[in-house]
Amino acid sequence: MPRNEYVLLLGADQYLRERALLGAKQATDLPVWAAAKDAVRTSNRMFDYMLSADPMDSDSLLKAIRAHSEQGWHPRMVVPLNDWTVESANAVNRALRLGGLGASVAVNARNKYAMKKALLAAGVSTPRGQLVETEQELLDAVEAVGLPAVIKPYDFGGSGGVVLATTREEAVAGLAEAKGVVAQHGSSYHIRGDKYLVEQFIDSDDEVSVEVLCGAGRSQVLTVTDKYLSPRPWFAEMAHLVPGHRTGDPVLAGLAVRACAALGIDRGLAHVEIKFAADGTAWVIEVAARPGGDGIMDQVERAYSLNPYRLHVGSYLGHDLLDVVAGAVPTKTSAIAFLKASPGRIQDVIDDNPLPPEVRHINISARRGDLSQSAKNWSTREGYVELEWDELFKEKTWLPVIMAKKLADEMFVVGTVAP
């Protein structure tokens, strides 16, 4: 029986990761497969094949992969594209001896407490924190870490369940809220949700993410993304702009590369979130062993005319693309900003107003009758708008959030909610 190979992408069919397929096609001539629990009923028909398997469950994946191996189809590599598939892809790659990340990397990249220990052991500045399960452990941790403090699930993402507490009472309420978010969404993303992290708060709104292509022995920064967060006490990401005003900063780049090395990430794109304190000190908040989400990669592609998923998939396949990254130069600025209606019941959605010339794409997910809540995490948005400018900003601009707010105010007619 002839041996046929394919590349299996996990998480490529996720919202705002659709262009991963194009990047994979640029990286390889092999067929590109994806996975879905029910491939027969999936609406995604763009991949060469849809494997019927849970992309977040390595046992499910291995069963389906081995069934197709009997028909002559074998994966060359399994490539994770989001947080929820890093562990499953790593387990499958190890089981089939395909390569991939080291055994400890997936743990360090998904368990935020293990991540913090690895960063500190490597001398990378990161906020101190403690792992808790009970309310009493929470209060003890708050005493040790100090207030204000950030409370968050240790293995979730998308700002889900992340809350700022300035008092002990707020800390208790924050833990309850974090547990509520995990109870609501945890099973969908295979989140354990049994522990929570109490973390030192870096009092700053100056936050970036650094997109790094990792290699064995050396890594290369692709770009820096300016991040815009929702009002406290939550940390929902409301906009991302590429290239950020700190792009090209060698100190920032060096810190991001050291953070990736501390976790042992030696292939693929990594997403390093960094905050700057009032005194200018840079703190690594989190490191993800996958491309940035929320449409950041699409903004990179617009700004640099380079599909970053090509880099990610190619790196997993063993291609040395670090020089391609080093030579990438932005020619414009691109941003994605999330639409947020005022809190209340949405009575009408007006989607035929003239749009500013900077708008390249807009998507409205809210409908009449929907309840708009405060911006707590990814689940409380009403859509997004993608924007583009022909200039490169030398200082942080607030245009993405200003323009998104103006559009949202014009689009969404919101009424009060009856008690």
Side-chain angles (χ1 to χ4, degrees), residues 130 132 134-146 168:
Q130 291 191 13
V132 304
T134 66
E135 184 176 306
Q136 185 56 55
E137 289 176 345
L138 167 78
L139 294 174
D140 292 342
V142 165
E143 192 70 27
V145 171
R168 289 166 61 89

Side-chain angles (χ1 to χ4, degrees), residues 50 66 92 109 184 194 242 257 288 333 353 370 397:
M50 291 297 297
R66 285 166 174 154
V92 171
Q184 182 180 1
D194 55 332
V242 176
V257 167
T333 299
N353 290 326
D370 287 354
T397 176

Side-chain angles (χ1 to χ4, degrees), residues 85-156:
T85 58
V86 169
E87 288 182 303
S88 56
N90 217 33
V92 171
N93 282 329
R94 291 201 310 273
L96 301 179
R97 299 182 179 179
L98 303 179
L101 297 170
S104 64
V105 177
V107 174
N108 289 342
R110 291 294 300 121
N111 182 322
K112 295 176 183 180
Y113 185 63
M115 176 191 303
K116 191 172 294 293
K117 291 199 297 183
L119 291 171
L120 290 171
V124 176
S125 299
T126 189
R128 63 184 181 276
Q130 291 191 13
L131 205 58
V132 304
E133 292 185 54
T134 66
E135 184 176 306
Q136 185 56 55
E137 289 176 345
L138 167 78
L139 294 174
D140 292 342
V142 165
E143 192 70 27
V145 171
L147 290 169
V150 178
I151 299 164
K152 56 187 175 183
Y154 78 120
D155 60 346
F156 206 6

Side-chain angles (χ1 to χ4, degrees), residues 22 49-50 106 159 179 188 221 246 254-255 260 275 286 335 350-351 392 413:
L22 179 61
Y49 189 79
M50 291 297 297
S159 303
K179 288 183 175 180
S188 298
V221 169
R246 294 181 184 273
L255 177 61
C260 293
K275 261 193 172 186
E286 293 181 6
I350 303 171
D351 59 359
L392 301 177
V413 179

